Amino acid sequence: MPEQAIDHIDFETLNKKALSKPLVSHIYTADPSAHVFNNKIYIYPSHDVDAGEAFDDLGSHFAMEDYHVISMDSIDSVAVDNGLALHVNDVPWAEKQMWAPDAAHKNGKYYLFFPAKGYDGIFRIGVAVSDSPIGPFKPQPEAIKGSFSIDPAVLEENDGSYYMYFGGIWGGQLQRWRTGTFNAEHPENPTAHLPKDNEPALTAKVAKMTDDLLEFSETPKDVVILDEKGNPILAGDNERRFFEGPWVHKYNGKYYFSYSTGDTHLICYAIGDNPYGPFTYKGKILNPVVGWTSHHSICEVNGKWYLFYHDSSLSKGVTHLRSIKVAEITYNDDGTINTLNPYKD
Ligand code: FUB
């Protein structure tokens, strides 16, 4: 992941023009997954730290070790840091890099889903359980069987079933799983094993969860994004292809699959008719923010819809020191979403 050129940015002016302010500023936070549980907003972010890891194209500088849950009584109220919810040292199978998490609530229990690298250098996805939405969470001894890559996001369906979306290319290792087993060749090259530009892009994955939310109940399936002609988006279509950070929400009976395009720094979305897709590309939700990564969630609060996202404005552009933010999104009559500019002109 190349460092963004930041020398030319006047951060004082930029922060005055920002669509929204960091929700918390005493710690760095990123990758916000927001939910309303029991009429309160809970945000499950990554907890960014400067661990002194050198910057590289595999994201080694994202060396996060733990999670804090942020809560808000309402969308305008103060965001509260509820302290340590889970630390990598308490997860038997995980060594490092606690990346973007998500959470779910079922039958009075709260489930924190998180990616981390195991001692073999392979990303997998784990689950930790608590009686409280703010933790502390008790991790399962093993990662979810059959899980791989990063960025879990869980959709609760009306019938009480849950689906996990996940995946990320480059440092997220999705491209290493193309044959079903991990390809460890060319470990330093983030783009080795990717499809050619004129081939269909790699897709996020989706799997229905077991009733106890601790395992997949099926082999993960491809989340296909189609273009306006019904063809799969191609790997060379960097402004529209899936890179990382999947999220699904439902609006007016349709399923909205949204995601980051990574090296083109956009949050885009596609619409489908069921949790598995396919989804047809519709447009951008968020233009590029300061910082290389862009990652989001979408959550309904009291009848309005909000984009939770992050940028690196507080750290003056340091890619791995980000801050979570929130802004309202609006829909048009045809179900399309109006694109947000993170900094006003
Ligand atoms: O926070 C680490 C990684 O950066 C996340 O897993 C990606 O989605 C990107 O935001």
Side-chain angles (χ1 to χ4, degrees):
M1 299 185 186
E3 193 87 56
Q4 193 171 27
I6 53 170
D7 294 349
H8 64 285
I9 297 179
D10 169 359
F11 282 96
E12 201 170 321
T13 306
L14 179 114
N15 286 336
K16 278 189 196 139
K17 295 196 306 182
L19 188 59
S20 42
K21 305 256 173 292
L23 288 174
V24 291
S25 54
H26 66 296
I27 56 173
Y28 290 109
T29 51
D31 309 325
S33 291
H35 296 273
V36 175
F37 296 140
N38 307 321
N39 295 319
K40 194 164 165 168
I41 303 164
Y42 292 93
I43 309 168
Y44 298 83
S46 299
H47 175 199
D48 281 356
V49 287
D50 192 350
E53 291 290 334
F55 180 95
D56 67 23
D57 282 350
L58 295 169
S60 303
H61 46 298
F62 293 110
M64 298 86 99
E65 295 181 352
D66 63 19
Y67 297 110
H68 289 213
V69 181
I70 307 295
S71 57
M72 298 165 80
D73 288 334
S74 70
I75 203 71
D76 301 316
S77 70
V78 172
V80 175
D81 173 2
N82 295 283
L84 183 65
L86 178 69
H87 194 282
V88 70
N89 290 348
D90 296 323
V91 183
W93 61 268
E95 183 190 11
K96 59 185 179 181
Q97 288 178 287
M98 303 284 265
W99 284 13
D102 191 20
H105 176 210
K106 184 175 181 184
N107 296 339
K109 297 268 185 213
Y110 296 85
Y111 298 80
L112 181 70
F113 303 99
F114 58 95
K117 258 187 199 161
Y119 292 89
D120 55 2
I122 298 176
F123 269 115
R124 302 201 184 267
I125 296 169
V127 193
V129 186
S130 176
D131 292 329
S132 163
I134 59 171
F137 290 88
K138 187 170 187 294
Q140 291 294 106
E142 306 281 345
I144 295 173
K145 283 189 281 301
S147 71
F148 52 94
S149 197
I150 60 167
D151 291 0
V154 174
L155 171 74
E156 179 183 353
E157 267 288 39
N158 295 341
D159 65 359
S161 57
Y162 289 76
Y163 294 81
M164 181 183 288
Y165 299 82
F166 63 94
I169 62 173
W170 292 30
Q173 302 179 338
L174 189 60
Q175 70 281 0
R176 297 187 175 276
W177 289 95
R178 289 180 70 184
T179 60
T181 54
F182 186 78
N183 186 337
E185 286 178 14
H186 312 297
E188 304 304 327
N189 183 354
T191 58
H193 318 298
L194 283 172
K196 295 192 180 67
D197 281 359
N198 61 357
E199 293 175 343
L202 289 186
T203 63
K205 302 284 177 181
V206 57
K208 195 171 185 178
M209 307 289 296
T210 52
D211 281 347
D212 61 9
L213 296 190
L214 300 179
E215 300 288 347
F216 296 154
S217 69
E218 60 184 356
T219 303
K221 297 174 168 40
D222 288 345
V223 180
V224 174
I225 306 172
L226 303 173
D227 66 14
E228 60 288 352
K229 292 184 180 145
N231 298 317
I233 296 280
L234 300 181
D237 191 347
N238 294 39
E239 297 231 331
R240 298 195 295 176
R241 62 96 169 83
F242 171 78
F243 189 101
E244 64 187 4
W247 187 261
V248 171
H249 75 281
K250 285 169 74 174
Y251 178 80
N252 277 353
K254 294 283 186 189
Y255 293 76
Y256 286 63
F257 175 76
S258 44
Y259 57 98
S260 164
T261 62
D263 55 351
T264 50
H265 317 290
L266 299 165
I267 300 293
C268 292
Y269 72 106
I271 299 180
D273 293 322
N274 68 76
Y276 293 108
F279 298 88
T280 301
Y281 178 87
K282 288 294 174 187
K284 302 174 196 171
I285 300 176
L286 183 67
N287 280 322
V289 295
V290 171
W292 199 93
T293 65
S294 197
H295 189 117
H296 78 298
S297 64
I298 293 171
C299 183
E300 184 179 19
V301 183
N302 288 335
K304 290 187 171 184
W305 288 88
Y306 294 91
L307 180 77
F308 291 77
Y309 65 106
H310 70 223
D311 75 4
S312 296
S313 57
L314 185 66
S315 70
K316 298 193 165 50
V318 179
T319 289
H320 60 282
L321 296 178
R322 301 161 291 180
S323 300
I324 57 169
K325 297 183 158 190
V326 62
E328 188 180 349
I329 53 169
T330 53
Y331 297 81
N332 298 305
D333 289 345
D334 64 359
T336 55
I337 297 174
N338 293 308
T339 309
L340 290 177
N341 285 317
Y343 314 99
K344 296 169 203 138
D345 292 329

